[in-house]
Amino acid sequence: MPESESAPWEYSLYIPNDPRAVTVSRRTLRLILTMHGLIRLVDLAELLAAELVSNAVRHTKGPAALRVSWSAGVLRIGAWDADPEPPEPPRVLEQITEWEEGRGLALVRACADLWGWHPLARHGNRGKFVWCELGAA
């Protein structure tokens, strides 16, 4: 295992409420993972990050952020947004394959090792953090 793979790290990318932020987030994530020797996780991590950031941008009116961290062989990808309302529960993936919307968290649930969300309140700011994890194996 390369040394960069074993040392913990974390990056945050603050993004405006703009649909182009999804592409910026994906490309930034690809660069981060490539630089840390985690190229094998890039495709799946990009899909998951795109779903999380897309939800943050599409369903809220304020800014958002992508957070990516690595620790103990686990990649955690998360999206923060300013809306404290919980995300819609994921639907069953097999039942929504032809729908235009509503597949994001179903894909996250199906592809990630773990996922979840929690409300945030810091310095008077409210919002939520939706995250997922991928193991290195």
Side-chain angles (χ1 to χ4, degrees):
M1 171 175 2
E3 185 177 328
S4 63
E5 232 182 88
S6 61
W9 48 260
E10 182 176 316
Y11 295 86
S12 294
L13 175 66
Y14 293 90
I15 54 178
N17 190 290
D18 182 328
R20 294 172 289 196
V22 176
T23 301
V24 171
S25 297
R26 286 179 70 158
R27 290 183 178 167
T28 301
L29 177 62
R30 177 174 284 274
L31 180 60
I32 291 167
L33 295 180
T34 300
M35 297 302 293
H36 282 283
L38 296 168
I39 193 71
R40 68 190 174 284
L41 297 177
V42 167
D43 292 333
L44 183 54
E46 272 190 315
L47 170 69
L48 297 172
E51 294 301 336
L52 296 177
V53 171
S54 177
N55 282 348
V57 170
R58 291 181 69 201
H59 301 295
T60 67
K61 296 185 185 333
L66 170 69
R67 183 198 271 157
V68 184
S69 64
W70 173 263
S71 181
V74 175
L75 179 69
R76 179 177 268 207
I77 304 164
W80 166 83
D81 65 57
D83 184 356
E85 291 299 314
E88 292 282 325
R91 298 183 174 120
V92 177
L93 192 58
E94 292 78 22
Q95 296 174 350
I96 60 172
T97 56
E98 296 185 21
W99 290 13
E100 289 293 319
E101 293 186 0
R103 295 182 293 208
L105 285 180
L107 281 171
V108 171
R109 181 176 65 184
C111 296
D113 295 330
L114 290 172
W115 82 277
W117 79 278
H118 56 270
L120 295 176
R122 184 182 295 171
H123 309 297
N125 297 326
R126 297 182 62 197
K128 68 179 164 296
F129 186 69
V130 183
W131 57 270
C132 64
E133 292 182 349
L134 293 174

